[in-house]
Amino acid sequence: MRNSIAIFFTVLLSLQLSAQWKPAGNKIKTAWAEKIDPKNVFPEYPRPIMERADWKNLNGLWNYAIQPKGASQPTRYDGKILVPFAVESSLSGVMKEVGASKEVWYSTSFTVPGAWNGKNVVLHFGAVDWKTEVWLNDIKIGSHEGGYTSFSFDITPFLGNNEQNLVVKVWDPTNDGPQPRGKQVKEPEGIWYTPVTGIWQTVWLEPVAQKSIAHMKSVPDIDNGTVKIETDIVGGTYGDIVEVSISDGDKKIATAKSSFGESVVINVPNAKLWSPESPFLYDFTAKLISDGKLVDEVKSYFGMRKISMQKDQYGVVRMQLNNKDYFQFGPLDQGWWPDGLYTAPTDEALKYDIVKTKELGFNMIRKHVKVEPARWYTHCDRLGILVWQDMPNGDKSPQWQNRNYFDGTEFKRSTRSEAIYRKEWKGIMDYLYSHPSIVVWVPFNEAWGQFKTEEITEWTKAHDPSRLVNSASGGNFYRTGDIVDLHNYPGPKMYLYDAERTNVLGEYGGIGLPLQGHLWKPDNNWGYIKFKNSKETTDEYIKYAKELKQMVLRGFSAAVYTQTTDVEGEVNGFMTYDRKVDKMDFSAVKKINLEIINAIHE
């Protein structure tokens, strides 16, 4: 009888939650929107590159209110919002504009599991756009600026006895401010999209010991057959030991120890190299031992791979993967969703675009002026796809030159704007450093917010010497960094060549095909060129691909086609914005793509 009563109340609660939430608006939606359970949103562990056994998901229905900027905490809220979907998105259940003159307030309550007694409790935010202030039990515990970096607070000192009350305030000026914002603008049109305000990645709790591993960094070295593991320890003291054990599947292959504050270098015998064709990952555990006792343990993985450049027999500087010439080819991937905007509806959806990219025969993705949740990069690591990671642009742009080396005046950011850029870019690189899929950093794109190019390029390179730096994608080129990156629409062109750097076609294509019933803006959509059916669109793609293949032989070492999916008013994707229709013949595209990738070996 008790079980029947418990089941009844569980079903009743589920129905109440469902009644409090539904997607807002009448825009197109993905098939995954129908699969969302408001009491179980993104149940997957949010940070697989550093995983602990225990955690608690705080996603779900929270209270929200939109208030004038500077107003005090609301005494009454406007309704419910589904976290982690941004306020302007359909899946939030709100779909309202916010803007620079207003702030979003959130509140929720939670309990800490009794099994966590004696542990410190850390509150994690995957990402919140843009300025965040946090209160727990009416005590302000901290703040954060940055829309693309994770942040956390040790909330242990502020916990009450039973239910905990969490309040979050967010302000996002979109394009009224100088902060990184990517394609967001308050008046979206053309290549500019809907603003994203507030929480847009998972919020979660994690129990940790008073001494714990806060951050890890893996640095593979295939030339010497080693991997270096660096760990940052909270509360660590002299005498503490970190023990790292590496496994190949169920087989343990190496173990090493380091003292507090030291990194550990481990031999990886007969290393299996990571590549898109063979994305092998080694698992490892890191144990923190203090006074002879195990106090913390995390699981992670790494890939043995190397990205570099080398002149070929004809004097062309080629990108190399694992010391072999390797042509990188992939789509421009903006990571937008018609129902979730910045946030994919589910983890399955998050993975889907990568799977389709592989299906098209590509080996690379350029993640365009957006940073994804940590799980997206793990999907890339596991599926085998190279990633070029853009810095999401912000502020204004100087004059743009793309046919020669830049001879104009660079944009001069304010001291505040420059500090915001540097902090966020460093945070992005630090957070994503250990993902083997990432092979190129892109600090600037088409002059947006471009400043101190040579200094930022050298600083980026010094911060991570293991990857290539594409300092100025699309124009305003300097003789710095590793790559000269041309953009040309619609067809491919090679109009500038640098004999000392890798030459790439960082954007081309944009072949449009609007499909009724799958349009974000049914009466206002565009592509660089537009066709009427899949055959025409595929034929045009193949025509450009054959031109590109000849340019590979003449010196291009990578290319990026625009784009993975339609995005809002843009209809130039391989797939519709709702991911329900493949707009080209994927098998024909794959065939010509593989010919391009293999052209440098002919």
Side-chain angles (χ1 to χ4, degrees), residues 294-422:
L294 175 65
V295 295
D296 193 17
E297 180 176 356
V298 294
K299 295 180 180 179
S300 188
Y301 64 85
F302 64 88
M304 292 294 288
R305 72 99 185 89
K306 175 185 177 182
I307 183 71
S308 57
M309 304 187 312
Q310 187 73 36
K311 285 189 176 182
D312 68 12
Q313 58 184 325
Y314 303 109
V316 176
V317 181
R318 295 290 186 188
M319 286 187 182
Q320 292 196 321
L321 181 67
N322 300 332
N323 296 323
K324 295 179 180 179
D325 292 352
Y326 192 90
F327 189 85
Q328 298 187 28
F329 191 23
L332 192 78
D333 187 325
Q334 312 216 49
W336 284 75
W337 299 84
D339 36 26
L341 299 181
Y342 255 19
T343 310
T346 66
D347 189 67
E348 180 187 1
L350 187 69
K351 182 179 177 181
Y352 183 80
D353 288 358
I354 308 167
V355 172
K356 298 297 283 187
T357 299
K358 293 280 287 188
E359 188 179 316
L360 285 159
F362 290 119
N363 58 23
M364 175 263 277
I365 288 171
R366 180 179 173 198
K367 180 50 63 176
H368 191 44
V369 294
K370 185 201 176 191
V371 177
E372 294 289 357
R375 289 191 63 84
W376 186 85
Y377 299 92
T378 290
H379 289 317
C380 290
D381 296 339
R382 290 173 176 164
L383 290 169
I385 198 89
L386 303 173
V387 175
W388 295 12
Q389 179 60 57
D390 286 14
M391 168 61 171
N393 298 295
D395 218 313
K396 300 177 179 63
S397 301
Q399 172 192 1
W400 182 30
Q401 294 176 203
N402 69 339
R403 294 277 164 174
N404 51 19
Y405 283 95
F406 188 61
D407 59 4
T409 302
E410 283 196 289
F411 177 53
K412 184 174 176 58
R413 287 184 182 241
S414 68
T415 302
R416 167 82 168 137
S417 174
E418 183 173 330
I420 289 171
Y421 175 97
R422 289 178 184 271

Side-chain angles (χ1 to χ4, degrees), residues 137-203:
N137 299 325
D138 298 322
I139 300 170
K140 186 173 182 180
I141 62 172
S143 61
H144 176 79
E145 289 184 351
Y148 302 95
T149 48
S150 66
F151 58 99
S152 59
F153 305 102
D154 185 338
I155 61 174
T156 313
F158 313 106
L159 292 172
N161 291 326
N162 297 304
E163 197 169 64
Q164 318 299 323
N165 181 245
L166 175 64
V167 173
V168 178
K169 181 177 75 170
V170 183
W171 175 65
D172 180 16
T174 312
N175 55 315
D176 286 332
Q179 81 291 344
R181 58 181 169 83
K183 292 289 194 79
Q184 304 175 58
V185 293
K186 58 186 179 182
E187 296 179 3
E189 186 69 31
I191 66 167
W192 306 102
Y193 314 140
T194 304
V196 171
T197 301
I199 298 169
W200 68 274
Q201 290 184 26
T202 291
V203 185

Side-chain angles (χ1 to χ4, degrees), residues 404-473:
N404 51 19
Y405 283 95
F406 188 61
D407 59 4
T409 302
E410 283 196 289
F411 177 53
K412 184 174 176 58
R413 287 184 182 241
S414 68
T415 302
R416 167 82 168 137
S417 174
E418 183 173 330
I420 289 171
Y421 175 97
R422 289 178 184 271
K423 177 188 174 186
E424 187 108 355
W425 188 220
K426 180 181 181 297
I428 290 166
M429 289 190 287
D430 287 345
Y431 189 58
L432 300 177
Y433 188 98
S434 294
H435 290 279
S437 54
I438 300 176
V439 293
V440 175
W441 298 119
V442 188
F444 300 114
N445 176 77
E446 293 188 349
W448 303 345
Q450 188 172 339
F451 75 106
K452 297 184 178 177
T453 309
E454 292 174 301
E455 179 183 334
I456 294 297
T457 299
E458 296 307 316
W459 171 67
T460 301
K461 192 73 176 176
H463 192 66
D464 181 5
S466 72
R467 291 181 171 94
L468 304 182
V469 178
N470 183 0
S471 58
S473 181

Side-chain angles (χ1 to χ4, degrees), residues 5-228:
I5 294 172
I7 291 169
F8 171 77
F9 280 111
T10 300
V11 171
L12 183 63
L13 177 61
S14 179
L15 291 172
Q16 288 175 338
L17 286 172
S18 297
Q20 289 178 305
W21 172 84
K22 66 177 181 179
N26 58 3
K27 296 283 190 182
I28 57 171
K29 295 173 180 61
T30 67
W32 295 282
E34 301 170 2
K35 299 180 181 179
I36 292 175
D37 179 352
K39 65 180 186 301
N40 193 29
V41 184
F42 287 102
E44 301 83 8
Y45 190 83
R47 189 194 54 201
I49 199 77
M50 185 178 155
E51 183 173 353
R52 288 190 175 90
D54 207 359
W55 70 294
K56 181 172 182 174
N57 195 338
L58 296 187
N59 292 340
L61 288 168
W62 295 25
N63 299 315
Y64 88 95
I66 300 173
Q67 300 270 83
K69 189 174 186 293
S72 57
Q73 181 180 337
T75 55
R76 295 181 62 186
Y77 284 82
D78 298 343
K80 297 290 185 179
I81 186 170
L82 188 60
V83 170
F85 298 103
V87 178
E88 295 88 348
S89 73
S90 169
L91 294 182
S92 70
V94 178
M95 206 174 180
K96 292 180 181 177
E97 295 182 4
V98 182
S101 64
K102 297 177 182 178
E103 295 166 326
V104 182
W105 289 81
Y106 299 82
S107 79
T108 191
S109 59
F110 63 88
T111 57
V112 177
W116 294 7
N117 287 345
K119 294 286 189 76
N120 287 9
V121 179
V122 178
L123 170 64
H124 295 278
F125 292 86
V128 184
D129 198 1
W130 174 71
K131 181 179 179 180
T132 310
E133 297 175 71
V134 182
W135 290 260
L136 187 67
N137 299 325
D138 298 322
I139 300 170
K140 186 173 182 180
I141 62 172
S143 61
H144 176 79
E145 289 184 351
Y148 302 95
T149 48
S150 66
F151 58 99
S152 59
F153 305 102
D154 185 338
I155 61 174
T156 313
F158 313 106
L159 292 172
N161 291 326
N162 297 304
E163 197 169 64
Q164 318 299 323
N165 181 245
L166 175 64
V167 173
V168 178
K169 181 177 75 170
V170 183
W171 175 65
D172 180 16
T174 312
N175 55 315
D176 286 332
Q179 81 291 344
R181 58 181 169 83
K183 292 289 194 79
Q184 304 175 58
V185 293
K186 58 186 179 182
E187 296 179 3
E189 186 69 31
I191 66 167
W192 306 102
Y193 314 140
T194 304
V196 171
T197 301
I199 298 169
W200 68 274
Q201 290 184 26
T202 291
V203 185
W204 53 295
L205 300 172
E206 184 177 43
V208 299
Q210 291 184 359
K211 289 185 179 183
S212 61
I213 299 169
H215 184 254
M216 294 195 304
K217 183 175 172 181
S218 58
V219 187
D221 181 348
I222 71 167
D223 295 327
N224 291 300
T226 63
V227 62
K228 180 168 69 172

